[in-house]
């Protein structure tokens, strides 16, 4: 019984901030403090989301956005992890390449969007490229950091027992760096959702970013906020999935438990 009460209290504490936020949001336009034309109350947004569900348009936009974001994120995971492992393992190579990488990572994905369009057109390839670029850097930097800062005692212990370089890399370095790598992947997931909106604002006919911008242009403000809310939930879902995958691959971490 005591455990049940603790769960209820914890859920109430976690929900309180959201409830207060929604209440303030509902009251501001309802009481006329903020113009309803600019800030639709949550009740109107819920109606718009329900309409999206009932017409089936929601799934068209969600599927288009998922296809783009996952394509870019998966490419970023592969490229960022492989290059990060290589840079973290080979110190001299990192010393040569790092200044160039530090320069490139300062360039915003949004600033490069015109370049991607020039070379790749306004189709799906340029949209995937901007998501890839935005997601790539946190994955790369966290992977490099994870490999470089593996506990030296672990490495020395493996070497003292005659472990080969391949054993050292796959059985010591990679597992020890996994938490940092997954932190980068989760950050990359957040960046890919942010870049998705910008990517879909040009040359798209479907996707949540397109839906948000199109709703704003035709002044369907409740629909605009509905698209924003759905996009936020999509980001939360992606982060949750990545967190579950991380937990399964890093079960050795102390205190970690995963519900099957």
């Amino acid at each position: 019984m005591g455990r049940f009460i603790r769960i209820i209290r914890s859920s109430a504490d976690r929900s309180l901030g959201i409830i207060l936020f929604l209440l303030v949001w509902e009251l501001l336009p309802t009481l006329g403090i903020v113009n309803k034309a600019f800030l639709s109350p949550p009740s109107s947004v819920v109606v718009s989301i329900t309409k999206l569900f009932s017409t089936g348009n929601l799934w068209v936009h969600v599927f288009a956005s998922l296809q783009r974001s996952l394509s870019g994120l998966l490419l970023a995971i592969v490229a960022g992890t492989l290059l990060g492992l290589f840079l973290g393992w080979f110190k001299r190579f990192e010393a040569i390449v790092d200044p160039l990488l530090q320069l490139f990572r300062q360039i915003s994905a949004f600033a490069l969007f015109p370049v991607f369009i020039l070379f790749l057109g306004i189709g799906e390839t340029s949209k995937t490229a901007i998501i890839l670029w935005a997601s790539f850097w946190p994955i790369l930097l966290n992977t490099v950091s994870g490999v470089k800062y593996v506990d030296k005692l672990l490495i020395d212990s493996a070497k003292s027992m005659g472990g080969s370089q391949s054993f050292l890399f796959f059985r010591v370095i990679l597992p020890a760096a996994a938490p940092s790598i997954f932190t980068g992947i989760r950050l990359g997931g957040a960046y890919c959702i942010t870049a998705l909106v910008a990517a879909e604002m040009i040359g798209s006919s479907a996707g949540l970013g397109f839906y948000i911008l199109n709703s704003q242009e035709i002044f369907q403000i409740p629909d605009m906020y509905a698209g924003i809310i759905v996009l936020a939930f999509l980001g939360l879902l992606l982060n949750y999935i990545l967190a579950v995958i991380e937990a399964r691959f890093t079960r050795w971490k102390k205190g970690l438990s995963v519900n099957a």
Side-chain angles (χ1 to χ4, degrees):
M1 185 66 180
R3 185 171 178 269
F4 178 74
I5 293 173
R6 286 196 299 272
I7 292 173
I8 295 295
R9 285 179 178 174
S10 176
S11 300
D13 290 341
R14 292 168 66 89
S15 303
L16 183 60
I18 296 175
I19 292 171
L20 289 174
F21 171 74
L22 291 174
L23 182 61
V24 171
W25 181 5
E26 180 74 32
L27 289 175
L28 286 175
T30 302
L31 297 177
I33 300 172
V34 179
N35 194 331
K36 276 189 178 182
F38 304 131
L39 182 66
S40 302
S43 53
S44 300
V45 175
V46 169
V47 171
S48 295
I49 294 175
T50 304
K51 182 181 68 177
L52 267 174
F53 267 107
S54 62
T55 60
N57 288 335
L58 176 67
W59 305 116
V60 174
H61 295 298
V62 168
F63 180 76
S65 292
L66 273 176
Q67 190 175 28
R68 291 172 185 135
S69 58
L70 291 180
S71 297
L73 180 60
L74 289 174
L75 288 172
I77 290 172
V78 173
T81 304
L82 291 179
L83 182 57
L85 291 171
F86 200 74
L87 288 169
W89 186 249
F90 296 102
K91 301 293 190 290
R92 188 175 180 186
F93 181 69
E94 184 201 6
I96 295 170
V97 176
D98 186 65
L100 188 62
L101 293 176
Q102 293 299 329
L103 174 64
F104 281 161
R105 82 184 186 94
Q106 304 304 321
I107 304 175
S108 166
F110 308 122
L112 284 176
F113 203 17
V115 179
F116 291 142
I117 291 175
L118 281 174
F119 281 91
L120 304 174
I122 61 172
E124 295 300 314
T125 307
S126 61
K127 294 174 177 56
T128 302
I130 190 173
I131 295 169
L132 165 62
W133 183 272
S135 307
F136 172 77
W137 297 105
I139 298 172
L140 173 69
L141 297 175
N142 277 273
T143 301
V144 172
S145 177
V147 174
K148 285 175 66 176
Y149 296 107
V150 171
D151 191 342
K152 195 172 184 297
L153 182 61
L154 293 174
I155 299 173
D156 292 339
S157 298
K159 286 181 178 178
S160 68
M161 291 185 289
S164 64
Q165 288 294 308
S166 60
F167 176 89
L168 188 64
F169 182 79
F170 288 106
R171 306 305 289 270
V172 178
I173 301 293
L174 195 55
S180 182
I181 294 171
F182 275 105
T183 297
I185 291 173
R186 290 176 67 180
L187 285 171
Y191 278 65
C192 95
I193 295 296
T194 304
L196 172 69
V197 178
E200 291 183 337
M201 284 183 174
I202 299 177
S204 296
S205 58
L208 291 172
F210 161 78
Y211 181 79
I212 292 167
L213 182 66
N214 185 64
S215 299
Q216 184 267 331
E217 287 178 343
I218 62 176
F219 217 71
Q220 295 296 322
I221 305 304
D223 291 348
M224 181 189 76
Y225 284 107
I228 293 171
I229 295 298
V230 172
L231 187 65
F233 275 104
L234 188 65
L236 286 173
L237 177 62
L238 178 60
N239 183 68
Y240 174 77
I241 292 171
L242 292 174
V244 170
I245 295 172
E246 176 186 3
R248 292 189 179 276
F249 276 93
T250 57
R251 285 182 173 179
W252 52 268
K253 288 170 65 179
K254 185 178 179 180
L256 182 64
S257 63
V258 181
N259 295 322

